[in-house]
Amino acid sequence: MSLRSLVIAVTRYIAKVRRYNQLGTNGLKDKRHQHPGAQPLLSVVEQAQLLQSLHTPATDGGLWNSRKVAEWMGNLLDRQVSIQRGWDYLHSLEFRLRVPRPEQDLTDLEVQEAWKKNSAHEPNEFNSSIHQQQ
């Protein structure tokens, strides 16, 4: 045990003895469950406003993300809000970022269909072992 950890242990023991002397056995109880924690940044009404805003397009026309939510919250609260808080509120509102799959502009549907029809019958490196076993 290092000297530092010994000092910390002795300090905690002394604090417990003082609490016991002042409050009796109630001074030794774990009271962490009695502390509710910090207040949320947004009230229930403000969270409802955020949810309504998430169902509309973002100000820049793109999709909502944690940075844009943090900016929205910062404008509402008149203070800077971290991007992590934006992500936390997106997650708590069960909002999922849905990015559409990219589409190829130069697709030729006839060529694709022809390839699909012919590739099933022609042996290649993936299905050649199957044809050899039959």
Side-chain angles (χ1 to χ4, degrees), residues 72-81:
W72 184 92
M73 291 170 59
N75 291 337
L76 182 71
L77 301 172
D78 290 330
R79 59 172 245 184
Q80 189 173 358
V81 177

Side-chain angles (χ1 to χ4, degrees), residues 20-71:
Y20 177 76
N21 289 337
Q22 292 172 355
L23 304 171
T25 56
N26 287 334
L28 300 178
K29 292 181 180 178
D30 183 9
K31 299 178 184 177
R32 290 179 287 183
H33 66 281
Q34 295 174 352
H35 301 289
Q39 294 292 322
L41 286 178
L42 298 179
S43 67
V44 176
V45 174
E46 292 169 337
Q47 287 182 29
Q49 291 174 349
L50 174 60
L51 188 58
Q52 284 180 345
S53 296
L54 290 175
H55 290 294
T56 62
T59 55
D60 64 352
L63 297 172
W64 283 97
N65 58 25
S66 55
R67 180 185 52 80
K68 293 175 187 176
V69 171
E71 288 174 1

